Amino acid sequence: NIAGLAVFTNPGFTSYSLLEYLAEQAGGDQTAIESIRRYNRETGTWETASWFDNNPAGVDFLITPGDSYLIYMSRLVNDVWFEGIALGAANDLAPGLNLVSLPVPKQGFTYDSYEMLQGIGDENEVASVKRYDSSGVWQTTSRFGDPPVPAGVNFLTSEKEGYLIYMKQAKGQWRPY
């Protein structure tokens, strides 16, 4: 399992303290949390924190408001709460890879990947929207085809999922809905 979260923490977590917190929430089972990953836009690389010899290891990065993280879990852990982005909050999308989660929509509201793709921009601005699915890889993709209309899989979005949005150019203040 994986969660893509825009996390707001109080007090602030680092990747190490978040690993410890999640293990505590899993009844002390460190094996429930495989890793926490952050995409560093400056270097274009992934930074990872995980367990080694019963201690947090890897990069101890700060969990900061507005950033998204990939949290790889080996099993479901209940009663873990993170504050996410507020309904109507804006996302700044940079060229290349962006990790995005969505706000909780009003009851009965649906938003699909084609609507997301077109809401972000056109074929000159956005390359694709991907989501993680049950097969264990980022493979469900919406993109612009030829002619430049939405193509690929049109999937329903959820505030409980994380998305990879690949941009061709920057887009400031994008609001999904």
Side-chain angles (χ1 to χ4, degrees):
N1 294 329
I2 187 171
L5 304 171
V7 176
F8 294 80
T9 62
N10 187 16
F13 280 115
T14 69
S15 57
Y16 283 13
S17 62
L18 183 55
L19 280 171
E20 291 168 341
Y21 168 75
L22 291 171
E24 179 183 307
Q25 295 304 111
D29 180 10
Q30 294 176 347
T31 64
I33 304 89
E34 294 176 8
S35 66
I36 300 171
R37 296 179 186 179
R38 171 179 78 165
Y39 184 73
N40 184 324
R41 287 184 185 175
E42 292 177 15
T43 64
T45 60
W46 289 95
E47 298 173 335
T48 303
S50 59
W51 295 102
F52 182 76
D53 265 349
N54 297 320
N55 293 301
V59 180
D60 190 19
F61 48 83
L62 187 63
I63 305 296
T64 57
D67 284 345
S68 296
Y69 304 90
L70 301 180
I71 302 173
Y72 287 86
M73 306 289 293
S74 63
R75 69 174 177 86
L76 180 64
V77 176
N78 292 317
D79 300 325
V80 176
W81 178 257
F82 296 104
E83 292 293 325
I85 60 174
L87 184 59
N91 290 287
D92 290 327
L93 303 174
L97 174 65
N98 295 269
L99 296 170
V100 174
S101 58
L102 302 176
V104 176
K106 294 178 182 175
Q107 188 172 5
F109 178 79
T110 60
Y111 186 64
D112 65 43
S113 60
Y114 283 11
E115 290 171 313
M116 183 189 301
L117 189 67
Q118 292 174 308
I120 295 169
D122 63 24
E123 72 279 5
N124 298 310
E125 297 171 289
V126 60
S128 67
V129 173
K130 294 184 177 188
R131 80 168 177 189
Y132 190 85
D133 68 15
S134 61
S135 70
V137 295
W138 295 92
Q139 70 175 14
T140 307
T141 306
S142 295
R143 64 191 181 294
F144 285 104
D146 186 22
V149 294
V153 178
N154 187 14
F155 53 86
L156 286 177
T157 65
S158 168
E159 76 280 2
K160 297 177 183 177
E161 295 179 329
Y163 301 93
L164 297 179
I165 299 176
Y166 290 91
M167 297 294 295
K168 294 178 180 178
Q169 56 182 285
K171 175 97 174 187
Q173 300 296 300
W174 171 69
R175 288 179 169 78
Y177 38 82

